Amino acid sequence: GMSRPRGDRRALLAGLAAGVLGLVPGGFAASPAGASEDPRRAETGGAPAARVVALDGLFAETLLAIGLVPVAIANRPLYEKLIAQPPLPDSVLDLGPLQEPNLEFLSLIAPDLILAAPWQAQIQVALARIAPVAALPIVAGTREPIDHLDALTRDIGARTDRGAGARALIAGTDAALAEARADLAGAAGRPVYI
């Protein structure tokens, strides 16, 4: 097995907690990850996207964690403040606000794929004129959060030809959670300070 330094596991768990707990209010309709397949994807023969734009921090974090650097994200300072790990390379461009990314700049970037959140629905028509849009769920809804994140990771991996990276991230997360569970097993019933 692949062993990671303990700090990496903590960062991974902290990132997962941030992704799970820092969810955007408003929720997501009950479709599973990947349910909103963009019909324009068929035009490219389903070719994997290499130049990907992430309009939500969770998508940027997932792309980086599976080995693909997004070409641009919305609100880079917010990512660096709230998420921070994995760090964004300097090459990642900032599209401005989450609610109103700079569409002219986005069209100049000419991405293969735009990952958008359902709460960005009001701009998805404009986005779709620039590149195929995958509107992916941020909120788990009735699913267990970890199952939701696994499905989201697999979906992003499939769309970007990073399936192996997605599987490795999920396996590493499962291992980290199992280790954390084992570490905490002796603490059952004891008070916890958070």
Side-chain angles (χ1 to χ4, degrees):
M2 194 174 85
S3 81
R4 295 178 185 214
R6 185 169 287 279
D8 282 1
R9 274 193 292 276
R10 286 206 183 100
L12 176 67
L13 289 171
L16 277 172
V20 173
L21 301 176
L23 297 174
V24 177
F28 172 71
S31 68
S36 54
E37 184 65 46
D38 189 291
R40 290 176 40 160
R41 189 177 162 93
E43 290 174 18
T44 64
R51 294 175 53 78
V52 181
V53 165
L55 296 184
D56 185 273
L58 177 59
F59 304 149
E61 178 184 13
T62 303
L63 286 168
L64 290 166
I66 66 173
L68 182 64
V69 176
V71 66
I73 69 167
N75 201 338
R76 182 180 174 124
L78 185 69
Y79 179 96
E80 291 171 336
K81 181 180 178 184
L82 293 183
I83 300 173
Q85 293 296 326
L88 284 170
D90 292 341
S91 66
V92 179
L93 302 168
D94 186 0
L95 291 168
L98 294 170
Q99 296 84 351
E100 296 179 0
N102 184 325
L103 298 179
E104 288 95 8
F105 189 33
L106 184 58
S107 72
L108 289 174
I109 290 167
D112 299 320
L113 178 66
I114 300 168
L115 301 180
W119 60 268
Q120 294 162 319
Q122 72 280 5
I123 60 169
Q124 284 179 17
V125 171
L127 294 173
R129 291 189 195 111
I130 296 169
V133 177
L136 303 177
I138 298 286
V139 178
T142 58
R143 304 169 92 175
E144 287 291 325
I146 194 69
D147 294 339
H148 168 69
L149 290 172
D150 284 358
L152 181 66
T153 300
R154 280 192 193 90
D155 188 0
I156 292 174
R159 291 172 189 270
T160 59
D161 199 27
R162 293 294 192 284
R167 288 187 296 275
L169 176 62
I170 291 165
T173 302
D174 289 347
L177 290 172
E179 181 175 333
R181 201 174 292 118
D183 288 349
L184 294 172
R190 289 179 25 208
V192 176
Y193 178 76
I194 298 176

